[in-house]
Amino acid sequence: MKLTPLNITLACILVWFISEMNADTEMLFSWGWLVALIAVLLLVDVFFRIVIRDLQRIWVLQIGFILVVGIVMVILKIQ
């Protein structure tokens, strides 16, 4: 399996979620939302791999996807 930005993002989210389980504070989202997020990230990653064969182009498009999703999330959070 090739390393892609979405795989790195998924690993970071899983590590962050596991580290938050032991904290005394309330978790940001539930197990159900975590499973949904994992499924969406995996499906988008597979979609990019099927549509685009060039690994360098996959990296550029997936980084762009992550940035666009992050910007949209910040905009939605502000409103």
Side-chain angles (χ1 to χ4, degrees):
M1 185 170 192
K2 296 176 185 165
L3 187 63
T4 60
L6 286 175
N7 291 342
I8 296 168
T9 303
L10 181 59
C12 291
I13 289 171
L14 288 174
V15 167
W16 170 75
F17 190 81
I18 290 170
S19 70
E20 289 292 314
M21 285 185 349
N22 296 333
D24 293 334
T25 60
E26 184 178 340
M27 294 170 57
L28 187 59
F29 50 88
S30 67
W31 282 98
W33 284 112
L34 177 67
V35 171
L37 180 62
I38 290 171
V40 167
L41 287 177
L42 288 175
L43 288 174
V44 169
D45 187 43
V46 169
F47 173 76
F48 275 117
R49 288 172 189 262
I50 290 172
V51 172
I52 302 159
R53 296 288 182 201
D54 182 29
L55 188 60
Q56 184 178 3
R57 193 156 178 233
I58 287 176
W59 269 79
V60 171
L61 290 175
Q62 285 189 1
I63 289 172
F65 175 78
I66 292 168
L67 288 174
V68 167
V69 169
I71 291 169
V72 168
M73 288 176 62
V74 169
I75 290 171
L76 290 175
K77 188 77 169 176
I78 291 173
Q79 291 181 350

